Each structure stands twice: as C-alpha cells, then as structure tokens.
C-alpha cells in the first residue's frame, strides 16, 4: 500500500498537462486524444457491455498464470466480480477507445483477455482493425467470446493457451501496430513478452503496459523498458506506460496527468 501511495505522490509532483509538453507529437496526442471527449455512442456501447458482464453472476473456475489477485481469495469467482474488480475501469476503457480512434492501428494485439472488457474497448475504438487477443484461462476466454458474439464485435480473434506458447506463434505470422500488455504483473514474463513483441514493432507502433505502478516489480520493469535502445518516447499516465519507437525523435520521457 505504501509503495502505491509514495509512487502516486511522486507522479503528482512530476506530472504535467499539455502546457508542460515540448514535443509536437506528444502535444497533439495530449490535446487531441487524452483530453478529448469520447464519442457518446461509443461510451454507451461500452457501458452496455460492462453492465452485461456485471449482471452475469455465474461462477467460473479461473486458472491464473500471472502474479495472482490481491483481492480474490479463491479461483472460483463470479463473472460479475471479475468484470468489476479485475476488468478495465471505464475511465481507462474510454481512453483506450480514444487512443485506437486517434492512431487507427490496423492490427492490434492484446496480451491478457480476461472476460474481454478491454478487447471490446479496442474494437469499439476502431471497428475496422483486426484484433488478436490472448488468454490463458479457457473459462474466462469462453465468457469473453460469448460477449464478443452478443455485441457483434466480429473483428476480435481469441487465442487460448499459455502465452509462452501462443505469443511466439502470433508474432511469427503477424505484424502489429498496437500491443496492449495486460496479462502478467511479474517482471520476467513482462520483459519476455516485450522482447518478443519487439520483433513486430515498427516506427509507428504503440505499446501500452497496464498497471506499471501495481508493485515494485512492475515499476522496475517499466524503468527497464524505458531505457531500451529501440524505445524513443514514453508516457507515464500512472496507470499506463505508453511506448513509441519513432526514430525521428530524440529519446524523451513524459509524465502526463490524464
């Protein structure tokens, strides 16, 4: 708890808004995406999907391949609780929608589907994109697939299995413009996924790392990613770490309040 409090206070002291940004690329992103209002129709659709999942009180057995939950004491969980506690927050989902809308990535990879809330946000952001999402637990994946089908989100392809097996195969046969990392909150696996996904990164790729302040391990991971020689621009929004590979820019790190 103290770690999160101290890092949040540090974030507040270091963070800025658009007035403290001296990069035209980042300034445009902040003013035209971060601080822009989300399309009302897209808000309504996402909230409808979230309500649908929060109204599902059936229980499933969850296979957790990551760090594990700080809240759940059992692997038998209600779908509604997973959506409420472990699913992406509405604030983050709407920002994710705006990011996809802004950059219009054609091919998106999500590492960690859970019950599919973030996947839905990616799809809503750009229905023309092709989204591949990876999930280790077959029971949560089944709930996600049912949700995609109910809301006719036909641009999402779900892949089930251990990431160490599914990720290399996906990377081998696809190129991705955006990768959303939300499948493991441990240092070594996250760095391994990052290194694997670097094989598909190009000059305009965007990597988004969820929960970079989740614990000391994740924050250390974020600092290592920032220093990678292929990384040129990073943005710390506290809940996300966003990475760019723009060769035309000098290496810069930004801390932005959203």
């Amino acid at each position: 708890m103290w770690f999160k409090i101290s890092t949040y206070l540090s974030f507040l002291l270091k963070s800025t808004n658009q007035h403290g940004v001296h990069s035209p690329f980042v300034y445009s992103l902040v003013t035209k995406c971060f601080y822009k209002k989300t399309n009302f129709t897209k808000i309504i659709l996402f909230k409808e999907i979230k309500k649908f999942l929060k109204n599902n009180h059936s229980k499933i057995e969850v296979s957790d391949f990551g760090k594990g939950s700080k809240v759940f004491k059992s692997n038998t969980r209600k779908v509604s609780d997973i959506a409420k506690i472990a699913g992406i927050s509405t604030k983050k989902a709407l920002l994710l929608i705006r990011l996809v809308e802004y950059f219009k990535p054609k091919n998106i990879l999500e590492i960690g589907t859970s019950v599919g809330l973030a996947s839905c946000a990616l799809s809503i952001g750009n229905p023309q994109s092709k989204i591949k999402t990876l999930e280790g637990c077959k029971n949560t994946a089944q709930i996600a697939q049912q949700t995609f089908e109910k809301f006719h989100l036909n641009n999402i392809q779900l892949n089930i299995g251990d990431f160490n097996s599914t990720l290399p195969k996906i990377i081998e046969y696809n190129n991705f413009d955006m990768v959303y990392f939300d499948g493991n909150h441990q240092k070594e696996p996250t760095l391994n996924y990052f290194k694997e996904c670097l094989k598909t990164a190009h000059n305009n790729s965007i990597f988004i790392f969820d929960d970079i302040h989740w614990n000391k391990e994740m924050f250390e991971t974020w600092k290592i990613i920032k220093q990678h020689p292929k990384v040129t621009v990073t943005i710390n929004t506290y809940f996300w770490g966003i990475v760019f590979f723009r060769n035309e820019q000098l290496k810069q790190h930004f801390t932005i309040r959203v």
Side-chain angles (χ1 to χ4, degrees), residues 18-39:
Q18 72 269 29
H19 300 298
V21 173
H22 304 293
S23 159
F25 170 76
V26 177
Y27 181 85
S28 178
L29 174 61
V30 171
T31 55
K32 297 178 181 178
C33 176
F34 283 10
Y35 296 158
K36 181 183 176 183
K37 290 184 178 180
T38 311
N39 179 284

Short mmCIF file of all heavy atoms in Angstrom, two decimals, residues 18-39:
data_model
loop_
_atom_site.label_atom_id
_atom_site.label_comp_id
_atom_site.label_asym_id
_atom_site.label_seq_id
_atom_site.Cartn_x
_atom_site.Cartn_y
_atom_site.Cartn_z
N GLN A 18 -0.78 19.46 -21.01
CA GLN A 18 -0.24 19.83 -22.31
C GLN A 18 0.71 21.02 -22.26
O GLN A 18 1.58 21.18 -23.12
CB GLN A 18 -1.38 20.11 -23.31
CG GLN A 18 -2.15 21.41 -23.07
CD GLN A 18 -3.34 21.24 -22.17
OE1 GLN A 18 -3.32 20.36 -21.31
NE2 GLN A 18 -4.37 22.05 -22.37
N HIS A 19 0.58 21.88 -21.23
CA HIS A 19 1.39 23.09 -21.16
C HIS A 19 2.85 22.81 -20.81
O HIS A 19 3.71 23.66 -21.01
CB HIS A 19 0.78 24.07 -20.15
CG HIS A 19 -0.63 24.47 -20.49
ND1 HIS A 19 -0.95 25.15 -21.64
CD2 HIS A 19 -1.81 24.23 -19.84
CE1 HIS A 19 -2.27 25.34 -21.69
NE2 HIS A 19 -2.81 24.79 -20.62
N GLY A 20 3.12 21.61 -20.29
CA GLY A 20 4.49 21.27 -19.97
C GLY A 20 5.13 20.35 -20.99
O GLY A 20 6.22 19.81 -20.75
N VAL A 21 4.48 20.19 -22.14
CA VAL A 21 4.97 19.27 -23.17
C VAL A 21 5.60 20.05 -24.32
O VAL A 21 4.97 20.94 -24.89
CB VAL A 21 3.81 18.39 -23.71
CG1 VAL A 21 4.27 17.57 -24.90
CG2 VAL A 21 3.28 17.49 -22.61
N HIS A 22 6.85 19.73 -24.65
CA HIS A 22 7.56 20.47 -25.70
C HIS A 22 7.87 19.59 -26.91
O HIS A 22 8.82 19.83 -27.63
CB HIS A 22 8.85 21.07 -25.13
CG HIS A 22 8.61 21.96 -23.94
ND1 HIS A 22 7.95 23.16 -24.03
CD2 HIS A 22 8.90 21.78 -22.63
CE1 HIS A 22 7.87 23.72 -22.83
NE2 HIS A 22 8.43 22.90 -21.97
N SER A 23 7.03 18.60 -27.11
CA SER A 23 7.13 17.74 -28.29
C SER A 23 5.84 17.89 -29.08
O SER A 23 4.76 17.63 -28.55
CB SER A 23 7.30 16.27 -27.86
OG SER A 23 6.94 15.39 -28.91
N PRO A 24 5.91 18.32 -30.34
CA PRO A 24 4.68 18.47 -31.14
C PRO A 24 3.87 17.18 -31.22
O PRO A 24 2.63 17.21 -31.17
CB PRO A 24 5.21 18.88 -32.52
CG PRO A 24 6.52 19.53 -32.24
CD PRO A 24 7.10 18.77 -31.08
N PHE A 25 4.55 16.05 -31.32
CA PHE A 25 3.87 14.75 -31.41
C PHE A 25 3.08 14.47 -30.13
O PHE A 25 1.89 14.11 -30.18
CB PHE A 25 4.90 13.64 -31.67
CG PHE A 25 4.35 12.25 -31.53
CD1 PHE A 25 3.56 11.71 -32.52
CD2 PHE A 25 4.65 11.48 -30.41
CE1 PHE A 25 3.04 10.42 -32.40
CE2 PHE A 25 4.14 10.19 -30.28
CZ PHE A 25 3.34 9.67 -31.27
N VAL A 26 3.73 14.64 -28.99
CA VAL A 26 3.07 14.35 -27.71
C VAL A 26 2.03 15.42 -27.40
O VAL A 26 0.96 15.11 -26.88
CB VAL A 26 4.10 14.23 -26.58
CG1 VAL A 26 3.42 14.00 -25.24
CG2 VAL A 26 5.06 13.08 -26.87
N TYR A 27 2.30 16.67 -27.73
CA TYR A 27 1.34 17.75 -27.50
C TYR A 27 0.03 17.47 -28.26
O TYR A 27 -1.06 17.63 -27.72
CB TYR A 27 1.91 19.09 -27.94
CG TYR A 27 0.98 20.26 -27.72
CD1 TYR A 27 0.93 20.91 -26.49
CD2 TYR A 27 0.14 20.71 -28.74
CE1 TYR A 27 0.06 21.97 -26.27
CE2 TYR A 27 -0.74 21.76 -28.53
CZ TYR A 27 -0.76 22.38 -27.30
OH TYR A 27 -1.62 23.43 -27.09
N SER A 28 0.17 17.06 -29.51
CA SER A 28 -1.01 16.73 -30.32
C SER A 28 -1.77 15.55 -29.71
O SER A 28 -3.01 15.56 -29.64
CB SER A 28 -0.60 16.41 -31.75
OG SER A 28 -1.70 16.04 -32.53
N LEU A 29 -1.03 14.54 -29.25
CA LEU A 29 -1.66 13.37 -28.63
C LEU A 29 -2.44 13.77 -27.37
O LEU A 29 -3.57 13.34 -27.17
CB LEU A 29 -0.59 12.33 -28.29
CG LEU A 29 -1.03 11.10 -27.50
CD1 LEU A 29 -2.07 10.29 -28.28
CD2 LEU A 29 0.17 10.22 -27.16
N VAL A 30 -1.84 14.61 -26.56
CA VAL A 30 -2.47 15.02 -25.30
C VAL A 30 -3.73 15.84 -25.57
O VAL A 30 -4.79 15.60 -24.98
CB VAL A 30 -1.48 15.80 -24.42
CG1 VAL A 30 -2.19 16.42 -23.22
CG2 VAL A 30 -0.36 14.88 -23.94
N THR A 31 -3.62 16.82 -26.46
CA THR A 31 -4.74 17.74 -26.69
C THR A 31 -5.85 17.14 -27.56
O THR A 31 -7.03 17.43 -27.35
CB THR A 31 -4.25 19.05 -27.34
OG1 THR A 31 -3.54 18.73 -28.55
CG2 THR A 31 -3.34 19.81 -26.39
N LYS A 32 -5.48 16.30 -28.51
CA LYS A 32 -6.47 15.77 -29.45
C LYS A 32 -6.97 14.37 -29.11
O LYS A 32 -7.88 13.86 -29.76
CB LYS A 32 -5.90 15.77 -30.87
CG LYS A 32 -5.57 17.18 -31.39
CD LYS A 32 -4.97 17.13 -32.78
CE LYS A 32 -4.64 18.53 -33.27
NZ LYS A 32 -4.01 18.51 -34.62
N CYS A 33 -6.35 13.76 -28.10
CA CYS A 33 -6.76 12.40 -27.72
C CYS A 33 -6.98 12.29 -26.22
O CYS A 33 -8.09 12.02 -25.77
CB CYS A 33 -5.72 11.39 -28.19
SG CYS A 33 -6.05 9.69 -27.66
N PHE A 34 -5.93 12.52 -25.43
CA PHE A 34 -6.05 12.37 -23.98
C PHE A 34 -7.17 13.23 -23.41
O PHE A 34 -7.96 12.77 -22.60
CB PHE A 34 -4.73 12.75 -23.30
CG PHE A 34 -3.65 11.71 -23.40
CD1 PHE A 34 -3.77 10.60 -24.21
CD2 PHE A 34 -2.48 11.86 -22.66
CE1 PHE A 34 -2.76 9.65 -24.30
CE2 PHE A 34 -1.47 10.92 -22.73
CZ PHE A 34 -1.61 9.81 -23.55
N TYR A 35 -7.22 14.50 -23.82
CA TYR A 35 -8.16 15.45 -23.22
C TYR A 35 -9.40 15.70 -24.09
O TYR A 35 -10.17 16.60 -23.82
CB TYR A 35 -7.46 16.78 -22.93
CG TYR A 35 -6.35 16.68 -21.90
CD1 TYR A 35 -5.33 17.63 -21.84
CD2 TYR A 35 -6.31 15.63 -20.99
CE1 TYR A 35 -4.31 17.54 -20.90
CE2 TYR A 35 -5.29 15.53 -20.06
CZ TYR A 35 -4.30 16.48 -20.01
OH TYR A 35 -3.29 16.38 -19.07
N LYS A 36 -9.56 14.90 -25.09
CA LYS A 36 -10.75 15.00 -25.95
C LYS A 36 -11.89 14.18 -25.34
O LYS A 36 -11.65 13.18 -24.67
CB LYS A 36 -10.42 14.47 -27.35
CG LYS A 36 -11.56 14.55 -28.34
CD LYS A 36 -11.15 13.93 -29.69
CE LYS A 36 -12.30 13.93 -30.67
NZ LYS A 36 -11.93 13.27 -31.96
N LYS A 37 -13.13 14.59 -25.58
CA LYS A 37 -14.27 13.82 -25.11
C LYS A 37 -14.48 12.59 -25.99
O LYS A 37 -14.33 12.66 -27.20
CB LYS A 37 -15.53 14.68 -25.11
CG LYS A 37 -15.54 15.77 -24.05
CD LYS A 37 -16.86 16.52 -24.04
CE LYS A 37 -16.88 17.58 -22.95
NZ LYS A 37 -18.17 18.33 -22.94
N THR A 38 -14.83 11.48 -25.36
CA THR A 38 -15.10 10.25 -26.09
C THR A 38 -16.45 10.35 -26.79
O THR A 38 -17.40 10.92 -26.24
CB THR A 38 -15.11 9.04 -25.14
OG1 THR A 38 -13.94 9.07 -24.32
CG2 THR A 38 -15.15 7.73 -25.91
N ASN A 39 -16.52 9.81 -28.00
CA ASN A 39 -17.77 9.77 -28.75
C ASN A 39 -18.87 9.15 -27.88
O ASN A 39 -18.72 8.07 -27.32
CB ASN A 39 -17.56 8.94 -30.02
CG ASN A 39 -18.81 8.81 -30.85
OD1 ASN A 39 -19.71 8.04 -30.52
ND2 ASN A 39 -18.87 9.52 -31.95
#
